[in-house]
């Protein structure tokens, strides 16, 4: 691995949802780039759920488990925490929300320590997060809180295009900027 190879941490999101499947498919598509030494991936999440998804999808993945302190191979799995209760696919559960939060928390700490270059997030379930006691509207709020950032936005980027949301996870009819059903984006008066 070249010293300038980008190190991506992929947080698993909701281990009871579609996130394990998305991660497995992304790993398969990115395998040629990993083999060429162009990037390194560290999946942070729930080992049992990821391996179960691999069996279900017939997408077995050679995924050695590692620790935060180890020198990771080009593709590795870092457990987000200790598995305390079984998680069933398709069921909203506090344990799934706890793992989703812990994965992002570990990724932030690794980024702040300079161990990873980028955090890639898989979908999480806000209801599961709430059941686990973490009350965030989504990844943006969670990342802002974990990094003590006072103001943040979601930025979508592709090529030269950059787009930011006017509202995030707020119904347009409850937008504080206007009294109409459609949002104007104006500040509350």
């Amino acid at each position: 691995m070249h010293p300038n190879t980008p190190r991506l941490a992929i947080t698993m999101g909701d281990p009871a949802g579609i996130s394990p499947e998305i991660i497995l498919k992304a790993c398969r598509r990115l395998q040629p780039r990993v083999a060429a030494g162009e990037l390194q991936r560290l999946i942070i999440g729930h080992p049992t759920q990821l391996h179960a998804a691999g069996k279900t999808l017939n997408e077995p993945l050679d995924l050695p488990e590692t620790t935060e302190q180890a020198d990771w191979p080009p593709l590795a799995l870092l457990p987000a925490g200790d598995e305390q209760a079984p998680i069933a696919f398709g069921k909203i559960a506090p344990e799934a929300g706890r793992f989703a939060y812990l994965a992002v928390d570990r990724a932030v700490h690794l980024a702040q320590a300079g161990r990873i270059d980028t955090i890639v997030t898989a979908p999480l379930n806000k209801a599961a997060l709430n059941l686990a006691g973490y009350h965030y509207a989504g990844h943006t709020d969670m990342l802002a809180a974990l990094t003590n950032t006072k103001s943040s936005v979601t930025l979508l980027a592709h090529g030269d295009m950059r787009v930011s949301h006017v509202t995030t996870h707020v119904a347009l009819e409850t937008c504080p900027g206007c009294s109409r059903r459609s949002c104007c984006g104006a500040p509350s008066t």
Side-chain angles (χ1 to χ4, degrees):
M1 208 48 55
H2 187 274
N4 293 329
T5 300
R7 300 163 299 171
L8 281 66
I10 304 171
T11 62
M12 193 166 176
D14 186 2
I18 62 171
S19 294
E21 177 182 345
I22 289 170
I23 290 170
L24 290 169
K25 289 179 179 184
C27 285
R28 182 183 64 218
R29 284 192 69 179
L30 293 172
Q31 191 54 38
R33 293 190 61 199
V34 171
E38 295 175 8
L39 65 95
Q40 181 178 11
R41 294 163 298 166
L42 177 67
I43 299 167
I44 306 174
H46 194 283
T48 300
Q49 290 298 98
L50 193 61
H51 292 298
K55 287 178 185 172
T56 300
L57 297 169
N58 198 23
E59 291 267 355
L61 198 57
D62 182 21
L63 202 58
E65 286 190 28
T66 190
T67 65
E68 285 187 19
Q69 297 77 25
D71 287 330
W72 309 309
L75 174 61
L77 173 62
L78 176 64
D82 295 328
E83 296 181 25
Q84 296 178 355
I87 295 174
F89 282 116
K91 304 286 183 194
I92 297 172
E95 180 72 350
R98 184 177 76 85
F99 258 86
Y101 173 81
L102 290 175
V104 174
D105 184 54
R106 287 192 97 165
V108 166
H109 290 294
L110 289 169
Q112 290 173 329
R115 297 285 324 252
I116 60 169
D117 301 307
T118 302
I119 299 172
V120 178
T121 59
L124 50 74
N125 184 304
K126 288 144 197 88
L129 272 178
N130 286 326
L131 286 174
Y134 304 105
H135 303 285
Y136 298 104
H139 282 105
T140 304
D141 294 350
M142 187 186 312
L143 288 164
L146 290 170
T147 59
N148 292 318
T149 301
K150 298 200 184 313
S151 178
S152 62
V153 297
T154 299
L155 177 71
L156 308 173
H158 181 74
D160 292 335
M161 181 184 281
R162 304 290 183 268
V163 177
S164 182
H165 298 217
V166 173
T167 65
T168 55
H169 306 290
V170 176
L172 293 178
E173 63 190 22
T174 61
C175 176
C178 62
S179 58
R180 297 172 301 170
R181 185 155 176 81
S182 63
C183 179
C184 66
S188 181
T189 55

